[in-house]
Amino acid sequence: MPWQVGVYKLVFGKSGSIHRLAFTPSTSSLHATNMKLVVFACLVAVAVASPQFGRQSFRPIPAAPRQDYRHIAILSDNREDHGDGNFKYDFETENGIKVSALGRPGSAGQSNIEGNYKFQTDDGAVVEVRYIADENGYRAESPSFPTPHPLPAHAIEQIRFAEANRGRESPSQAPRRRLF
């Protein structure tokens, strides 16, 4: 017989002797028992899912260290913040990275920043980028950036023709006449 939660009552007969034992299942204690069972199952799930610090199988496999990795020294690091939106910073590392920026408050509450950075690529080329970030967005310039190919002569001729005829009315833009 499965274990049940409820209330047992003794029912007495007219003579005062025990007539029978009555059982009334309790739904509130049944819910409490079910809740305890759910909480216990959750605790078991958390315990099983937690990291096992003494077992190697749960540790992530570390990536192979890079052979060329080494700490890079900071040669200079200067920072100024005037607290009113004006700031300036620059730093330089021993591997040739140089960064500098000058910031001032913008008209719409943003920071307008003008600066540059310089670094060396893996093939030894030095890249220097100058940038401005303000109300008009971020604009960067560098001789290292790729440039588009020049337009072919026929494309330039089409552009000139379109500009020359910009003010003229085309047949598709002319007002249509009704026949009836």
Side-chain angles (χ1 to χ4, degrees), residues 1-159:
M1 179 173 177
W3 179 76
Q4 292 183 350
V5 177
V7 178
Y8 289 92
K9 292 183 182 177
L10 292 175
V11 178
F12 295 96
K14 292 183 184 178
S15 63
S17 63
I18 296 177
H19 179 64
R20 65 185 162 109
L21 180 65
F23 174 75
T24 307
S26 172
T27 56
S28 62
S29 7
L30 188 59
H31 290 300
T33 302
N34 286 343
M35 183 59 74
K36 289 176 187 177
L37 184 62
V38 168
V39 169
F40 178 72
C42 289
L43 288 175
V44 168
V46 168
V48 169
S50 69
Q52 307 298 317
F53 296 107
R55 298 170 65 180
Q56 291 292 331
S57 62
F58 289 103
R59 292 188 182 164
I61 300 170
R66 290 181 46 175
Q67 298 300 324
D68 61 344
Y69 178 79
R70 64 183 179 90
H71 289 281
I72 305 299
I74 304 294
L75 301 177
S76 68
D77 186 1
N78 303 307
R79 298 170 188 270
E80 296 176 22
D81 186 356
H82 302 282
D84 58 355
N86 291 300
F87 62 90
K88 177 181 173 182
Y89 66 85
D90 60 77
F91 65 86
E92 182 177 358
T93 64
E94 72 174 326
N95 65 348
I97 297 174
K98 293 181 182 179
V99 177
S100 67
L102 176 66
R104 55 192 180 283
S107 62
Q110 81 285 355
S111 290
N112 290 343
I113 304 172
E114 189 172 335
N116 61 22
Y117 54 91
K118 179 179 165 182
F119 61 93
Q120 189 172 7
T121 62
D122 291 337
D123 62 356
V126 175
V127 176
E128 185 169 358
V129 178
R130 296 188 178 283
Y131 66 90
I132 296 174
D134 59 12
E135 295 90 356
N136 300 318
Y138 177 81
R139 298 174 308 282
E141 298 175 351
S142 173
S144 301
F145 288 169
T147 56
H149 295 289
L151 291 174
H154 71 277
I156 294 172
E157 183 59 35
Q158 287 177 340
I159 293 170

Side-chain angles (χ1 to χ4, degrees), residues 157-170 173:
E157 183 59 35
Q158 287 177 340
I159 293 170
R160 283 189 193 136
F161 179 79
E163 287 175 351
N165 294 312
R166 188 177 300 235
R168 296 183 185 169
E169 230 178 65
S170 70
Q173 294 174 340

